[in-house]
Amino acid sequence: MTLRTEFVALAHRPENTIAELCRRFGISRTTAYKWLARAQANEPLSNRSKRPHVSPQKTSPAMEERVVCLRDTFPDWGGRKLSKVLRRDDHVDVAPSTVTHILRRHGRLGSPMRAPSKPYMRFEHDAPNELWQMDFKGPVHVGRVRCDPLTVLDDHSRFNLVLGTNTDMCGNTVRQWLTEAFRRYGLPRRMNMDNGSPWGVGNGDSRHLSSFTIWLVQLGIHVSFSRPFHPQTNGKDERFHRTLDVEVLRRRTFYSMEQLRQAFDHWREIYNHVRPHEALGMETPADRYTVSPRPFPEQLPTIQYSPDDLLIRVHQRGRIRLLGHPLTVSVALYGHTIAARPRPTEDGVYDLFFNHHRLQTIDMRSVR
């Protein structure tokens, strides 16, 4: 601006020529006469906006109001999710970048999130109910009552099957929540848990199985355990906890368990049926989930073993005898019958099974 003002002042002096001034200021004659014309019209010499006078494709005020209203309804959803909701519910195609610009103009966006240093590597099972992930969300304090919400998530669809407002982490409490889910959605093929209570410790030692895990095995469900100190094994359920924390728990203070339950039920409906999921191609979990073809049996089925199996009764403290040798399995198996299955290719080696679940391998050649 200083140079432009000086140029105009010098150009009005009779001893200076326009051509010489243009050469010294390093500008073209077109630019020089443009500045002189603006100065004669008492217009500012700064650059004019290149914004077009007419924008036929500009978003209408009504649409901007709709975007802002959606953002206020779902304050944690960004441009991609809101664009998907507009396309799905309002049949209006608004680009995610346009939605983001609208939110920024109206002060609905905070500081931009930093992109991850490494791209995400996602793994999922091919069909619903192939794997359910189960865990407890960290403690939620409702007044003086501690709540440890139980969460169960389908691996393929991210569909939330259980969001329980339980005040303890006992096996019987979890069993009640799962029984309701099994009756509604059927039985999964496998369930994965961590190594805490009440699941047991999945370190390959059958002595640490729990009565709750044994109940799942009796239902014909395969059980698996995350590696110790590796929560990413249940990564989808851990990510669900983060979303629950951001969209529900951080925004409100709950004064009763009934208030918390109503909030969970309301948000669970949004999460499963309304909220687009980026890992699902902006579909909702309900778009990809279907119930299991395996119904829940009201009575536990009878366990059938192979005719070649050696059937062994488990006594107190998990004691058994295999070919006269005392061994120990899970205390929770007391009163149950397990099978010792010889390996056809390894003489003297037996696999101990409870139903389909392999408890451990015993090499009788090394047993004293």
Side-chain angles (χ1 to χ4, degrees), residues 213-251:
T213 307
I214 291 172
W215 174 66
L216 294 178
V217 174
Q218 286 179 289
L219 290 173
I221 300 173
H222 294 260
V223 295
S224 59
F225 300 90
S226 304
R227 291 171 55 194
F229 308 107
H230 283 74
Q232 59 268 31
T233 311
N234 262 2
K236 297 181 180 66
D237 202 22
E238 295 290 342
R239 182 62 179 85
F240 175 79
H241 290 172
R242 175 183 167 187
T243 305
L244 173 65
D245 193 45
V246 170
E247 299 190 5
V248 180
L249 300 178
R250 292 184 186 177
R251 297 188 174 278

Side-chain angles (χ1 to χ4, degrees), residues 140-158:
V140 178
H141 295 282
V142 183
R144 296 184 178 181
V145 179
R146 168 173 169 157
C147 175
D148 294 276
L150 174 69
T151 61
V152 181
L153 210 70
D154 176 64
D155 182 88
H156 172 76
S157 63
R158 278 76 165 177

Side-chain angles (χ1 to χ4, degrees), residues 105-355:
R105 285 199 302 270
H106 290 268
R108 295 304 196 276
L109 286 184
S111 57
M113 296 181 61
R114 186 176 62 180
S117 57
K118 295 182 179 180
Y120 294 113
M121 296 182 63
R122 294 188 174 97
F123 302 93
E124 66 180 31
H125 283 67
D126 295 331
N129 306 303
E130 287 290 313
L131 173 66
W132 288 6
Q133 298 182 8
M134 178 167 57
D135 200 359
F136 288 106
K137 171 75 175 69
V140 178
H141 295 282
V142 183
R144 296 184 178 181
V145 179
R146 168 173 169 157
C147 175
D148 294 276
L150 174 69
T151 61
V152 181
L153 210 70
D154 176 64
D155 182 88
H156 172 76
S157 63
R158 278 76 165 177
F159 188 86
N160 175 243
L161 302 133
V162 176
L163 182 54
T165 53
N166 43 287
T167 56
D168 62 66
M169 296 185 289
C170 299
N172 289 334
T173 303
V174 177
R175 182 168 172 170
Q176 293 175 7
W177 285 100
L178 282 184
T179 299
E180 182 180 350
F182 290 157
R183 285 171 177 162
R184 182 178 303 167
Y185 304 111
L187 300 179
R189 180 179 178 274
R190 179 165 67 95
M191 296 190 71
N192 191 79
M193 300 146 281
D194 60 19
N195 291 271
S197 176
W199 332 121
V201 181
N203 58 1
D205 191 341
S206 64
R207 290 173 294 181
H208 294 281
L209 293 179
S210 65
S211 58
F212 169 77
T213 307
I214 291 172
W215 174 66
L216 294 178
V217 174
Q218 286 179 289
L219 290 173
I221 300 173
H222 294 260
V223 295
S224 59
F225 300 90
S226 304
R227 291 171 55 194
F229 308 107
H230 283 74
Q232 59 268 31
T233 311
N234 262 2
K236 297 181 180 66
D237 202 22
E238 295 290 342
R239 182 62 179 85
F240 175 79
H241 290 172
R242 175 183 167 187
T243 305
L244 173 65
D245 193 45
V246 170
E247 299 190 5
V248 180
L249 300 178
R250 292 184 186 177
R251 297 188 174 278
R252 297 180 57 185
T253 300
F254 300 96
Y255 300 97
S256 67
M257 294 300 298
E258 177 63 20
Q259 187 183 24
L260 180 64
R261 185 193 64 79
Q262 292 180 3
F264 277 4
D265 290 346
H266 175 71
W267 180 79
R268 179 177 176 270
E269 182 75 14
I270 294 175
Y271 178 87
N272 282 337
H273 299 275
V274 180
R275 180 183 184 272
H277 203 301
E278 294 185 28
L280 304 179
M282 303 310 292
E283 293 182 339
T284 63
D287 293 332
R288 298 186 60 178
Y289 182 72
T290 184
V291 296
S292 170
R294 300 174 56 196
F296 172 72
E298 294 298 332
Q299 294 184 351
L300 291 175
T302 303
I303 298 177
Q304 301 291 336
Y305 291 112
S306 171
D308 298 331
D309 293 340
L310 299 177
L311 303 185
I312 304 173
R313 187 79 170 176
V314 181
H315 300 287
Q316 291 183 346
R317 299 182 181 178
R319 304 288 178 81
I320 64 171
R321 296 189 71 87
L322 176 59
L323 302 180
H325 294 277
L327 300 170
T328 302
V329 293
S330 172
V331 176
L333 284 170
Y334 169 64
H336 292 283
T337 299
I338 65 174
R341 189 168 301 165
R343 290 188 176 181
T345 58
E346 298 181 75
D347 192 24
V349 179
Y350 292 83
D351 289 318
L352 300 184
F353 280 88
F354 176 64
N355 202 1

Side-chain angles (χ1 to χ4, degrees), residues 47-56 58-59 64 105:
N47 291 332
R48 291 178 176 178
S49 174
K50 296 182 179 180
R51 181 177 180 179
H53 297 288
V54 180
S55 300
K58 179 182 177 181
T59 307
E64 291 204 11
R105 285 199 302 270

